[in-house]
Amino acid sequence: MSIRPWRDIERRKSRQIMVGSVPVGGDAPISVQTMTNTPTEDAKATIDQIRRCEEAGADIVRVSCPTADATAALRQIVREARVPIVADIHFHYKRALEAADAGAACLRINPGNIGSEERVKEVIAAARANGCAIRIGVNAGSLEKDLLEKYGEPCPEALVESALDHIRILEDHGFREYKVAVKASDVFLAVAAYQQLADQVDCPLHLGITEAGGLIGGTVKSAIGMGNLLWAGIGDTIRVSLSAEPEEEVRVGYEILKALGIRSRGVRVVSCPSCARQGFDVIRTVEALEARLQHIKTPMSLSVLGCVVNGPGEARETDIGITGGGNGTHMVYLSGVTDHHVKDGDMVDHIVRLVEQKAAEIEAEAAAEQTLDAAE
């Protein structure tokens, strides 16, 4: 029995597949994906962008393969990437065959534009021969014509029927290493489609609110839509779709998971919106700390509060806390307890050092526990 049952999330039971070295579904951690936006034919630029996504914490990266030159470059990209690469395929099924041969860990195909069932069969054969997974990517913006005629418009039932039709093809050919997405830019449509599909299949589900918008608007839509589903236990891997650099998608994805207590990476910042009571410039301080602490991967918490109204209370619940005081002198809390004071001019550098030290301590403790467990 949980001591905080109001925070419990009962995750939907799904079977597990492998996307390269990353397990998806079952009891595996919910993985965070993004997609490159460089020309795939430019292998160096694409690899450089993948590196930034890896540093941000991406578990899986998707790369579009619209041309034969793109799939030719994919071989080098796959070889140099540290994470599994998903080949994004539209219209030209032969690109899927080439991508599988080039080492892609997964082939993303859209049933609305991949072509006939015979072409899908060839893709299945290539995936099986190369140990690839497949993602069925249904999208409200590219539904099959017969489903649009049947339902009159994109609706949850149409998205689910499209997904089930394609699942049937894979299952009929004995292929079960697949996951499914039913994305829409309309939050209500996407959530309803995922809810319906989750009740009808046991495969892993890839979540996304497609074409969500820019960094702020897209983050809000993604958090509402995917947060709703994740809170209900639905979803095994996520991609936040933003008109922003792909590493920002990764950061937002982790923030969504952190907010729900599902997965944690790096520093979770608790900060106030600031007001006239603030003892220091909270907004600029938080901006500076978030920028300078991006290299921290160890899960930990930091509270940054401008005054003593809520500062001490929030600091009690975080690893490190700073609360604004008078005359440019502020209180620093370690493990919830007042420890010392710091002046305005030294505050950001000081907090960064404390966070780095705490991260090193946590990592050392974890390493010691692993050594002890191995010895036993």
Side-chain angles (χ1 to χ4, degrees):
M1 179 73 178
S2 171
I3 62 171
R4 297 184 183 90
W6 36 271
R7 294 186 63 179
D8 292 347
I9 293 175
E10 185 177 350
R11 192 167 166 191
R12 164 184 169 268
K13 291 180 173 58
S14 65
R15 55 188 172 80
Q16 189 174 102
I17 68 168
M18 296 298 296
V19 177
S21 59
V22 176
V24 176
D27 58 358
I30 293 172
S31 52
V32 177
Q33 302 190 27
T34 187
M35 186 173 181
T36 57
N37 56 33
T38 51
T40 305
E41 294 85 352
D42 186 341
K44 182 182 184 304
T46 304
I47 292 163
D48 287 346
Q49 193 170 71
I50 290 171
R51 284 284 178 271
R52 295 195 294 275
C53 295
E54 291 169 342
E55 287 300 312
D59 298 300
I60 298 169
V61 174
R62 181 155 45 112
V63 173
S64 185
C65 293
T67 67
D69 286 342
T71 51
L74 189 67
R75 192 175 298 277
Q76 179 184 352
I77 293 167
V78 168
R79 187 168 58 247
E80 297 197 31
R82 301 176 187 134
V83 296
I85 298 298
V86 177
D88 192 68
I89 308 297
H90 289 277
F91 303 111
H92 303 291
Y93 79 102
K94 286 186 178 178
R95 302 291 85 81
L97 312 184
E98 294 160 0
D101 288 340
C106 181
L107 305 174
R108 187 272 188 173
I109 57 175
N110 185 327
N113 60 37
I114 195 65
S116 67
E117 186 167 331
E118 286 303 314
R119 291 181 173 180
V120 175
K121 289 178 185 177
E122 289 193 51
V123 173
I124 294 169
R128 180 178 284 117
N130 289 279
C132 294
I134 289 178
R135 173 160 77 86
I136 298 169
V138 178
N139 194 304
S142 54
L143 276 171
E144 297 96 314
K145 290 180 181 178
D146 62 320
L147 291 175
L148 285 175
E149 291 173 1
K150 177 179 177 179
Y151 291 99
E153 64 175 4
C155 62
E157 292 75 17
L159 268 66
V160 171
E161 184 170 334
S162 176
L164 293 176
D165 284 346
H166 213 67
I167 286 171
R168 175 189 53 78
I169 297 172
L170 300 188
E171 291 280 356
D172 284 351
H173 289 81
F175 191 90
R176 306 205 77 216
E177 290 292 304
Y178 63 85
K179 51 184 175 157
V180 182
V182 280
K183 295 185 180 182
S185 59
D186 180 300
V187 173
F188 296 94
L189 173 55
V191 170
Y194 277 111
Q195 288 171 334
Q196 289 186 24
L197 185 63
D199 288 337
Q200 298 185 54
V201 297
D202 71 344
C203 61
L205 297 182
H206 170 107
L207 299 190
I209 305 299
T210 193
E211 295 133 13
L215 182 58
I216 295 177
T219 294
V220 171
K221 286 179 67 176
S222 298
I224 291 171
M226 286 194 284
N228 185 308
L229 292 163
L230 291 164
W231 200 334
I234 296 170
D236 301 286
T237 183
I238 67 172
R239 188 259 172 122
V240 178
S241 297
L242 303 176
S243 299
E245 293 305 317
E247 54 265 41
E248 295 296 338
E249 296 185 347
V250 177
R251 295 187 184 109
V252 172
Y254 271 101
E255 289 299 324
I256 292 171
L257 296 178
K258 281 197 284 189
L260 291 167
I262 292 173
R263 191 172 174 194
S264 187
R265 181 185 191 276
V267 182
R268 176 176 63 86
V269 177
V270 177
S271 61
C272 67
S274 81
C275 69
R277 292 190 303 270
Q278 64 182 353
F280 58 88
D281 188 339
V282 172
I283 294 173
R284 302 289 92 76
T285 299
V286 170
E287 286 177 350
L289 287 170
E290 287 184 333
R292 292 185 56 183
L293 294 174
Q294 286 186 9
H295 66 293
I296 301 294
K297 300 177 176 60
T298 307
M300 57 186 300
S301 53
L302 167 67
S303 59
V304 184
L305 279 290
C307 78
V308 296
V309 172
N310 293 319
E314 292 292 354
R316 279 196 299 269
E317 306 299 324
T318 53
D319 294 306
I320 297 170
I322 179 81
T323 295
N327 301 318
T329 301
H330 316 297
M331 292 162 283
V332 177
Y333 300 76
L334 301 180
S335 300
V337 179
T338 308
D339 191 82
H340 58 275
H341 293 78
V342 65
K343 293 287 188 181
D344 260 337
D346 303 323
M347 183 170 59
V348 171
D349 288 342
H350 186 67
I351 294 300
V352 169
R353 284 196 298 273
L354 289 176
V355 169
E356 290 174 338
Q357 289 169 8
K358 183 65 176 179
E361 289 173 13
I362 293 171
E363 290 169 9
E365 289 172 2
E369 287 181 9
Q370 286 182 347
T371 301
L372 184 61
D373 289 342
E376 292 175 351

